Amino acid sequence: MIYIKVLVTGGLGYIGSHTCVELLNNGYEVVIVDNLYNSTIDVLQRIEKITGKKVDFYDFDVCSYEAMDTVFSENKIEAVIHFAAYKAVGESVKEPIKYYQNNLLATLNLCKVMLKYNCQRLIFSSSATVYGKVRSLPIKEDAPLSTTNPYGTTKLMNEEILADICKANPNFSVVVLRYFNPIGAHKSGLLGENPKGIPNNLMPYIMRVAANNEREEKEQVAEYKYVKVFGDSYDTLDGTGVRDYIHVVDLARGHLLAMEKCFNSLGIDFYNLGTGKGYSVLDLINTYEKVNNVKVPYKIVAKRDGDIAACYADTNKAFKELGFKALYGIDDMCRDSYLYQKNYIKEHGEIF
Ligand code: UFG
């Protein structure tokens, strides 16, 4: 059997770790580079526990050319999946230099080293954020691109950088994946999303409110008494924001299909990874309560700056060209997030 060795940058993060599991379960060898900026080392053991396979790990920063040169000189890397990046929208507005420096330099360095070692296949972790203020739904890959914050701009700039690299290097093959809203967790309950600090995203916030609500009244934390629903006057069915939530394991599977594409074609191509279905904030809260039999109190508060009413994917291109179709629904996503929450609390005593 011939093993294909894949480098996964940011492989201990939320999407990265689930993708490593899928790669290992499908016969790939995996090398992870992760500087633990937004992840913890125990995720490595969890990936190995779930898959029963060994992973090579480097606690390196992708922004260091020397470090990446070492990784490529010690391994015959045939393809790269590049997740490592800063991803907090609000922080990017306050600290744009930090975001441009990290998110652009990482990709530039990586591509430089890849070219040096003749590694020509790359999957890039992009985001539906590149569609900016959405004009028509569902969103197709050829929709106009724009951004509303520095984080989003780094994703769009990276897409453009990669297109130029492909133009200059006709043997390069890049697949850009534009993620919609990943939630859910691995069915083992061992991998999931539990961000450091107060979560910006809806699902991790719902999880904390649910966990807080299960505590004795006197032990409850004020911050997580209820979910703050950012506005109920959007032009949507119930007035709250609508998003295309996708199970993180489905998203991870999408990377394997993108990998096959990378091995079979040249140049750059762009794909949405979503389910094509939109759910509102209240849909998600209600589903979480229903499938897990828990309480998630909420209050309507002011809209969040920069939010749009609705965003969901046209999934036809990913289906036709990659064979990608999401298998899990919103109930599965809510159930698996809760399973991770339960498991996390069992292991650590608390989730926040
Ligand atoms: N929301 C709340 N309360 C919260 C958090 C979110 O009501 O505490 C609402 C938002 O207004 C929005 C929905 O829940 O309507 C989803 O918000 P998230 O923050 O979970 O996700 P976003 O769609 O805003 O952003 C996500 C990623 C970005 C990425 C974008 C791509 O966080 O990195 O999807 O579309 F760029």
Side-chain angles (χ1 to χ4, degrees):
M1 178 141 181
I2 302 163
Y3 290 104
I4 293 170
K5 208 177 238 195
V6 178
L7 168 63
V8 183
T9 75
L12 299 185
Y14 175 47
I15 306 172
S17 58
H18 287 85
T19 302
C20 288
V21 166
E22 294 302 311
L23 287 167
L24 291 159
N25 282 343
N26 284 278
Y28 290 93
E29 274 191 65
V30 171
V31 177
I32 293 176
V33 170
D34 193 307
N35 67 355
L36 304 174
Y37 174 81
N38 201 16
S39 57
T40 51
I41 192 66
D42 65 302
V43 173
L44 182 63
Q45 285 96 51
R46 289 161 186 264
I47 293 170
E48 292 182 338
K49 186 171 170 193
I50 291 168
T51 60
K53 308 247 171 75
K54 182 87 196 68
V55 176
D56 286 321
F57 172 67
Y58 294 86
D59 177 358
F60 284 173
D61 190 333
V62 186
C63 290
S64 161
Y65 181 85
E66 290 71 31
M68 296 313 289
D69 195 281
T70 304
V71 175
F72 276 79
S73 68
E74 291 179 1
N75 298 277
K76 171 94 191 74
I77 307 284
E78 297 206 43
V80 179
I81 308 182
H82 180 35
F83 291 105
Y86 295 156
K87 62 170 189 177
V89 173
E91 186 187 52
S92 81
V93 175
K94 291 193 194 100
E95 298 183 67
I97 296 174
K98 173 175 168 176
Y99 272 69
Y100 288 115
Q101 183 154 321
N102 185 70
N103 291 4
L104 300 182
L105 190 57
T107 307
L108 292 170
N109 254 331
L110 184 63
C111 289
K112 230 162 112 180
V113 183
M114 286 176 71
L115 285 169
K116 176 176 171 190
Y117 287 88
N118 209 22
C119 174
Q120 295 167 328
R121 298 175 192 102
L122 175 67
I123 295 170
F124 179 68
S125 188
S126 190
S127 163
T129 193
V130 299
Y131 296 117
K133 297 230 174 298
V134 174
R135 274 168 249 177
S136 79
L137 290 164
I139 306 170
K140 279 189 176 22
E141 285 82 350
D142 59 5
L145 304 178
S146 67
T147 57
T148 54
N149 58 73
Y151 156 75
T153 311
T154 68
K155 289 293 177 195
L156 189 51
M157 288 171 89
N158 268 314
E159 290 194 0
E160 287 168 358
I161 288 168
L162 292 170
D164 286 341
I165 292 174
C166 285
K167 239 184 256 165
N169 299 276
N171 288 327
F172 230 68
S173 173
V174 176
V175 176
V176 171
L177 298 176
R178 293 176 179 153
Y179 311 146
F180 281 70
N181 291 56
I183 59 170
H186 192 262
K187 63 179 184 318
S188 63
L190 291 172
L191 298 175
E193 187 183 27
N194 190 27
K196 292 175 184 166
I198 297 170
N200 299 308
N201 298 115
L202 181 59
M203 182 53 104
Y205 211 97
I206 289 178
M207 290 160 71
R208 291 189 186 194
V209 169
N212 197 40
N213 213 261
E214 288 186 339
R215 289 179 165 191
E216 297 283 327
E217 179 81 36
K218 60 179 186 312
E219 283 176 14
Q220 290 184 8
V221 176
E223 181 64 48
Y224 301 122
K225 286 259 187 203
Y226 55 87
V227 175
K228 298 174 194 75
V229 175
F230 297 144
D232 67 348
S233 60
Y234 285 109
D235 186 14
T236 60
L237 275 180
D238 64 19
T240 66
V242 165
R243 296 290 182 274
D244 185 339
Y245 296 98
I246 175 168
H247 197 297
V248 65
V249 172
D250 273 331
L251 200 70
R253 285 178 35 252
H255 293 74
L256 266 75
L257 297 167
M259 185 65 77
E260 283 172 31
K261 156 106 187 160
C262 253
F263 275 90
N264 293 316
S265 67
L266 297 175
I268 188 164
D269 220 332
F270 305 83
Y271 296 96
N272 288 338
L273 287 186
T275 64
K277 295 191 190 75
Y279 289 96
S280 73
V281 175
L282 296 184
D283 287 335
L284 198 65
I285 291 176
N286 292 336
T287 308
Y288 201 85
E289 287 190 324
K290 182 191 74 187
V291 301
N292 299 317
N293 195 23
V294 292
K295 285 264 163 298
V296 182
Y298 68 86
K299 278 189 189 164
I300 309 292
V301 302
K303 287 180 181 173
R304 182 169 66 178
D305 268 359
D307 271 353
I308 53 172
C311 170
Y312 49 90
D314 185 314
T315 56
N316 283 308
K317 187 179 178 202
F319 180 63
K320 279 195 198 118
E321 297 183 20
L322 301 178
F324 177 76
K325 193 172 183 345
L327 300 177
Y328 296 105
I330 196 82
D331 285 17
D332 306 302
M333 302 179 211
C334 288
R335 194 175 304 116
D336 293 344
S337 284
Y338 185 64
L339 181 71
Y340 174 71
Q341 169 190 323
K342 280 296 215 201
N343 208 41
Y344 192 94
I345 294 169
K346 203 160 86 195
E347 283 181 18
H348 298 86
E350 56 183 35
I351 194 163
F352 40 76

